[in-house]
Amino acid sequence: MTSPTSPLRMPGRLRAALVFVFLQALLNGILGIFAQLEIARWQDHGQDPAGVLYLVEFLSYIFAAGLLASGIAILVGYDWGRWAMLACEVLSAIGGLINLVSGSPQALLGLVLAGLVVTTLFQEQVKAWFEAKAAQRRAGPAPQPGTTI
């Protein structure tokens, strides 16, 4: 027999998806650092860096911050984090499709991960967890034993 899990316990698939999201945030941050180093290298050699490097740097940091913020919001149980993460993942998937069409087959991995995260965010068990967390916040903290109301 399986015992029902507590509605306040984060579903396992959501935990796994968050691991992928935090990995994405880390990789985006690293990509931003590499772009920043490449810009500095160009400038050290007296060259004007390509404008696309600035765009890559900016977008990498924005996506890293967005994924990190939405991941933390989800860890705490705020539903708005789910929607922010959805926006980041959809934009990431669009970028992955562009990369795939332009001949970069490794973009397929990013598309698969984005698909897994997005489908996880809309599972019934995950939605129920967010609703339970919201109900818990509305109810307020439970009184501590030995205190009077």
Side-chain angles (χ1 to χ4, degrees):
M1 271 194 192
T2 59
S3 62
T5 59
S6 166
L8 295 178
R9 183 165 182 192
M10 184 183 289
R13 186 167 173 187
L14 181 57
R15 275 188 261 141
L18 285 176
V19 169
F20 291 131
V21 166
F22 288 125
L23 180 64
Q24 279 181 302
L26 176 67
L27 292 175
N28 272 297
I30 290 171
L31 180 63
I33 291 169
F34 282 147
Q36 193 173 11
L37 291 173
E38 186 65 17
I39 290 169
R41 189 182 67 78
W42 280 48
Q43 290 173 338
D44 286 346
H45 290 96
Q47 298 172 333
D48 189 27
V52 72
L53 285 175
Y54 290 109
L55 182 65
V56 167
E57 176 191 18
F58 176 75
L59 289 177
S60 294
Y61 289 142
I62 291 295
F63 273 100
L67 288 168
L68 190 60
S70 61
I72 290 170
I74 287 174
L75 279 175
V76 178
Y78 287 103
D79 194 48
W80 66 262
R82 191 170 66 131
W83 296 103
M85 187 173 293
L86 174 69
C88 287
E89 291 295 347
V90 166
L91 291 173
S92 176
I94 291 170
L97 282 173
I98 292 169
N99 286 336
L100 190 63
V101 168
S102 65
S104 180
Q106 64 269 24
L108 189 59
L109 178 63
L111 287 171
V112 169
L113 288 176
L116 287 172
V117 171
V118 169
T119 56
T120 297
L121 292 175
F122 291 100
Q123 268 190 328
E124 288 303 318
Q125 187 180 16
V126 171
K127 287 189 216 176
W129 180 76
F130 279 110
E131 290 170 8
K133 292 297 276 186
Q136 181 187 36
R137 275 192 300 279
R138 283 190 301 270
Q144 297 297 320
T147 59
T148 59
I149 299 180

